[in-house]
Amino acid sequence: MLLFVGLPSTLTLWTHRSESIQRRAFIPLSILVLIGLGLTSTSSTGGQVGGIAEIGLYVVGIVGILCIGIYLMVFGGVTPVGPVPRGWRTTGGLLMISAVAFGGILTIEPEWSPLVTPDGWNSYAASSIVGLITTSLFGAVIVWLYGDQRWMTLIGLILTTSLGLIGALLLIESSILTKADISEGLTTAIGSIFGLLIAAVLAIGLMVQIESKAVVPRTSPPLSKEEIKRMEQLIQANVRSEQE
Amino acid sequence: MSLRRLSGAGIGTATVVIIALMMIEGEESPAIEDRLRSIIIQALWTAMMAWMIIAGSMLGLLGRGRAPWLQIGGLLFLSLSTLGILAIIGEIPTEDVLGGLTIRWAGLATGAFFAIGYTLSTLTVSMDEEIDPLLLLGREQ
């Protein structure tokens, strides 16, 4: 219930305007939903939903570290708005690497690690790799088309894509991930993109249809001769007082 | 950059990604009919949830005339119709299916977020230091 109603509901609240009551309720409700998910994961007896709640908590940790890292990396450099001192860029880079390392440790599950990988984590890891490869490659093509000699970004993105592909192959070779995990991730990625496109096209079409049939608000009648005369008098009076 | 070039780049990249990942799948790649069916069903699930979230996000506009009511009603109708289609073809998502789907969506979003964040950070690294033209003028004098 929390996962399938709570999370979409909080997401819906987040889409409201910042000064609205719904948006103000977003943070406390999100915290309540996360606490609920945490309680579900610890009290579960190994069911699917409990597993997902456990994965959700790890994902919140990884994404949180990643967010802070990206924020420090982006705003610690040469930006028109730079609220973070320059020295923090290295810390941001380290945090980004830590987030990837944390995800990697959970996926590989080495013997020395005290962390217990929740059920279904492989599906998350495989989807992450598919998302990483797809977005990096698309980003590389965009940067290449944009030009402006952004070689460093281009090389970085090609390296990320290659590392993602090599990583996927190595994880499959060492039987940590299965080919079926990658296959499901790919199918979900394609299906989700198609679904979002269909949803966007139909929603925009519906809104345009409804708005185009809306009643046009009544416009005010044109100014009468008396009103124009009064306006002229006011302007003349103002101009004269300024000249004096 | 024109929309035409962008869509061309998108289609090209998508083709390359699909070929690369299908090569990784190897002989375990599912039959094309199965994959198409799976893609269509997942697209319907995604669209159904997207319409519900858009309808929910418009609730704050309800006091602004008839149009928001019609739009929310239309979006909910689309969402429920999709649920109906899924019921007819016997693919209403169960708790387990929704669970798996949530995990995969979270994974895809995390991967995409990392790539976007990395791109932004490298773009800001390669930016040149902006010098205030007024300060430069002062130095010249």
Side-chain angles (χ1 to χ4, degrees), chain A residues 10-28:
Chain A
T10 47
L11 194 64
T12 303
L13 290 177
W14 179 72
T15 56
H16 285 83
R17 283 185 303 164
S18 55
E19 69 271 19
S20 64
I21 302 165
Q22 289 92 338
R23 186 66 182 271
R24 270 182 231 145
F26 166 70
I27 294 174

Side-chain angles (χ1 to χ4, degrees), chain A residues 147-167:
Chain A
D148 209 18
Q149 295 187 331
R150 295 186 186 279
W151 301 118
M152 204 175 145
T153 311
L154 190 63
I155 293 165
L157 284 168
I158 291 169
L159 267 176
T160 315
T161 314
S162 315
L163 284 174
L165 279 170
I166 294 165

Side-chain angles (χ1 to χ4, degrees), chain A residues 12 15 17 48 52 78 89 124 127-128 132 135 138 142 145 150 153 172 179 183 187-188 191-192 195 199 211, chain B residues 5-6 10 24-25 35 38 42-43 51 56-57 64 71 96 99 104-105 107 110 112 114 122-125 127:
Chain A
T12 303
T15 56
R17 283 185 303 164
Q48 172 83 356
I52 299 161
V78 185
R89 180 179 270 277
Y124 171 79
S127 304
S128 299
L132 182 75
T135 320
F138 189 66
I142 298 280
L145 283 177
R150 295 186 186 279
T153 311
I172 290 169
K179 288 177 178 176
S183 180
T187 310
T188 306
S192 304
E211 291 292 342
Chain B
R5 283 184 82 185
L6 194 68
I24 290 178
E25 285 173 7
R35 172 153 273 170
S38 187
Q42 299 213 27
W51 284 322
S57 70
R64 300 188 184 182
Q71 284 166 13
D96 284 356
R104 288 200 291 277
W105 275 338
T110 313
F114 181 82
T122 48
L123 279 175
T124 51
V125 165
M127 268 168 80

Side-chain angles (χ1 to χ4, degrees), chain B residues 6-126:
Chain B
L6 194 68
S7 37
I11 293 167
T13 314
T15 315
V16 172
V17 168
I18 290 167
I19 291 169
L21 291 172
M22 280 175 84
M23 278 167 74
I24 290 178
E25 285 173 7
E27 69 277 6
E28 280 188 37
S29 181
I32 196 83
E33 296 88 24
D34 294 343
R35 172 153 273 170
L36 275 176
R37 185 183 163 83
S38 187
I39 286 171
I40 290 167
I41 289 163
Q42 299 213 27
L44 287 174
W45 288 339
T46 311
M48 185 182 78
M49 285 174 197
W51 284 322
M52 282 181 99
I53 290 173
I54 298 171
S57 70
M58 289 174 75
L59 288 174
L61 303 172
L62 279 179
R64 300 188 184 182
R66 203 165 137 256
W69 283 93
L70 284 173
Q71 284 166 13
I72 291 171
L75 288 168
L76 287 176
F77 174 74
L78 281 173
S79 194
L80 287 174
S81 308
T82 312
L83 192 65
I85 293 169
L86 288 168
I88 290 166
I89 57 174
E91 290 290 348
I92 285 193
T94 58
E95 199 177 65
D96 284 356
V97 169
L98 270 177
L101 202 62
T102 311
I103 292 173
R104 288 200 291 277
W105 275 338
L108 287 169
T110 313
F113 182 62
F114 181 82
I116 292 166
Y118 178 73
T119 311
L120 280 176
S121 57
T122 48
L123 279 175
T124 51
V125 165
S126 58

